[in-house]
């Protein structure tokens, strides 16, 4: 009986695994056709400069319309990374962002920077040779207009090639931000090895900062460390006035979060920039 039980639970487990594998295979196929059919769009979340008291950047965030149902990037980016589809998605997002940035330029918003997420996996997977700069030039934009946010949802094999590519982007004028700082597999190691201009403190630290003294100490330490390294700091996921006040007192450079705005549809950007008044939230 014990043997039977063992086998049953083994079968149960392997069934679970194959369900999971099937689901992932299904998602991969859907993603491939979504890329083919261009079923993606992007939204833009304002990033507020505490020094200028104005919106100087936006983060570009992907949205997938799967037959009328919106799928969150957290549910498909890891699969895209796993099956080598992430570069195509990244290119698609960069093109959408450049198109929108050109429109804003024409309307006179000349200094706005767009932050585009790119998976660290892309740099080490060896498929692309940074055509990203060509894309930016194709739209006649300055590389200074684009910041690449390095995200990580799987542990990427870190290599020298990755550092070479990042240096190339940075010397052309693009800036590099390290996303979700403090939660990744190797945040500190990336900080040490990669040419980083900006560090984004993960939302998890910010939301606990007002409740857990230790988290406030960590946020304070991250800001001090960044300052000592000459790196600017963005706090992510800021929702409360109380959080803004603490971040101001700690000398944080930028704030992003629902407190100022949720991600916006492209057609709302120019109006948002025109209407923005710091302190009116
Ligand atoms: P992320 O790059 O850290 O982006 C910030 C996420 O936090 C966004 O979720 C944003 O909508 C959400 N957020 C912003 N402010 C607040 C807040 O005040 N409260 C709360 N609760 N959430 C807030 P989103 O758009 O669902 O994106 C999730 C993640 O998916 C991103 O995290 C990023 O890692 C990834 N992602 C999104 N777009 C792309 C893309 O184009 N390429 C790649 N490789 N990854 C992307
Ligand atoms: Mg990001
Ligand atoms: Mg982030
Ligand atoms: Mg995040």
């Amino acid at each position: 009986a014990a043997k039977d039980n063992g086998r049953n639970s083994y079968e149960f487990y392997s069934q679970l695994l194959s369900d999971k594998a099937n689901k992932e295979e299904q998602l991969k196929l859907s993603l491939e056709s979504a890329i083919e059919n261009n079923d993606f769009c992007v939204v833009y979340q304002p990033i507020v400069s505490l020094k200028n008291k104005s919106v100087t950047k936006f983060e570009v965030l992907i949205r997938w319309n799967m037959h009328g149902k919106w799928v969150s990037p957290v549910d498909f980016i890891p699969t895209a990374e796993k099956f080598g589809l992430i570069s195509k998605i990244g290119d698609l997002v960069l093109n959408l962002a450049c198109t929108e940035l050109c429109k804003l330029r024409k309307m006179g918003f000349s200094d706005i920077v767009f932050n585009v997420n790119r998976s660290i996996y892309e740099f080490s997977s060896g498929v692309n040779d940074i055509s990203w700069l060509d894309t930016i030039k194709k739209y006649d934009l300055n590389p200074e207009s684009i910041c690449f946010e390095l995200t990580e949802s799987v542990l990427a094999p870190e290599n020298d090639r990755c550092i070479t590519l990042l240096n190339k982007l940075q010397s052309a004028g693009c800036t590099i931000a390290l996303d979700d700082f403090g939660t990744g597999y190797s945040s500190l190691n990336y900080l040490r090895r990669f040419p980083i201009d900006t560090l984004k403190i993960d939302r998890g630290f910010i939301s606990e900062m007002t409740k857990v003294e230790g988290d406030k100490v960590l946020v304070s330490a991250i800001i001090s460390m960044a300052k000592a390294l000459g790196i600017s700091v963005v706090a992510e996921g800021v929702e409360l006035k109380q959080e803004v006040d603490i971040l101001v007192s700690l000398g944080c450079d930028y704030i992003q979060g629902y407190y100022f705005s949720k991600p916006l549809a492209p057609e709302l950007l120019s109006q948002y920039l025109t209407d923005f008044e710091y302190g009116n939230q």
Side-chain angles (χ1 to χ4, degrees), residues 26-260:
Q26 205 51 56
L27 182 59
K28 177 204 162 208
L29 293 174
S30 305
L31 267 174
E32 281 171 341
S33 82
I35 291 169
E36 192 91 353
N37 302 322
N38 233 324
D39 291 337
F40 299 95
C41 64
V42 289
V43 287
Y44 298 84
Q45 190 173 33
I47 300 176
V48 175
S49 158
L50 291 175
K51 183 170 147 250
N52 298 357
K53 297 199 174 349
S54 65
V55 175
T56 56
K57 329 189 226 194
F58 289 89
E59 178 169 5
V60 186
L61 296 159
I62 194 167
R63 296 292 178 263
W64 177 12
N65 186 345
M66 191 191 195
H67 314 297
K69 187 179 117 229
W70 291 100
V71 188
S72 161
V74 280
D75 293 329
F76 67 84
I77 295 290
T79 304
E81 285 177 337
K82 187 171 165 185
F83 292 102
L85 299 169
I86 192 67
S87 281
K88 280 189 181 157
I89 289 176
D91 288 344
L92 209 140
V93 169
L94 182 59
N95 275 282
L96 287 171
C98 287
T99 305
E100 197 55 39
L101 199 51
C102 287
K103 288 188 199 159
L104 284 184
R105 290 278 183 274
K106 287 207 184 87
M107 288 189 265
F109 300 103
S110 52
D111 297 327
I112 295 296
V113 169
F114 276 1
N115 284 25
V116 174
N117 291 286
R118 304 278 329 208
S119 159
I120 287 180
Y121 203 70
E122 292 184 63
F123 290 86
S124 35
S125 59
V127 271
N128 73 77
D129 182 32
I130 302 299
S131 53
W132 309 353
L133 288 171
D134 296 335
T135 303
I136 296 168
K137 286 191 193 115
K138 183 178 89 191
Y139 288 90
D140 211 16
L141 290 163
N142 294 325
E144 285 78 5
S145 316
I146 302 292
C147 169
F148 290 106
E149 292 194 6
L150 303 179
T151 65
E152 182 195 51
S153 75
V154 293
L155 182 58
E158 192 216 322
N159 59 22
D160 292 339
R161 191 176 163 276
C162 185
I163 296 166
T164 308
L165 293 178
L166 287 171
N167 279 322
K168 202 167 144 190
L169 287 171
Q170 199 188 44
S171 44
C174 296
T175 46
I176 312 291
L178 193 50
D179 210 345
D180 304 334
F181 187 79
T183 61
Y185 290 97
S186 36
S187 295
L188 278 177
N189 203 33
Y190 289 144
L191 194 57
R192 186 162 65 90
R193 305 247 298 147
F194 293 174
I196 303 293
D197 300 286
T198 303
L199 176 163
K200 299 189 76 176
I201 305 177
D202 189 72
R203 171 160 61 91
F205 294 104
I206 306 301
S207 59
E208 291 299 306
M209 195 175 57
T210 51
K211 299 167 216 145
V212 184
E213 182 58 25
D215 280 34
K216 187 180 159 188
V217 173
L218 281 177
V219 171
S220 168
I222 293 172
I223 293 171
S224 306
M225 177 186 67
K227 285 211 177 328
L229 292 169
I231 291 172
S232 68
V233 185
V234 181
E236 293 191 291
V238 176
E239 296 182 353
L240 309 169
K241 173 77 165 68
Q242 202 190 346
E243 292 163 352
V244 176
D245 292 342
I246 294 174
L247 290 163
V248 168
S249 77
L250 295 177
C252 185
D253 302 299
Y254 298 92
I255 284 181
Q256 175 180 356
Y258 297 166
Y259 176 76
F260 285 107

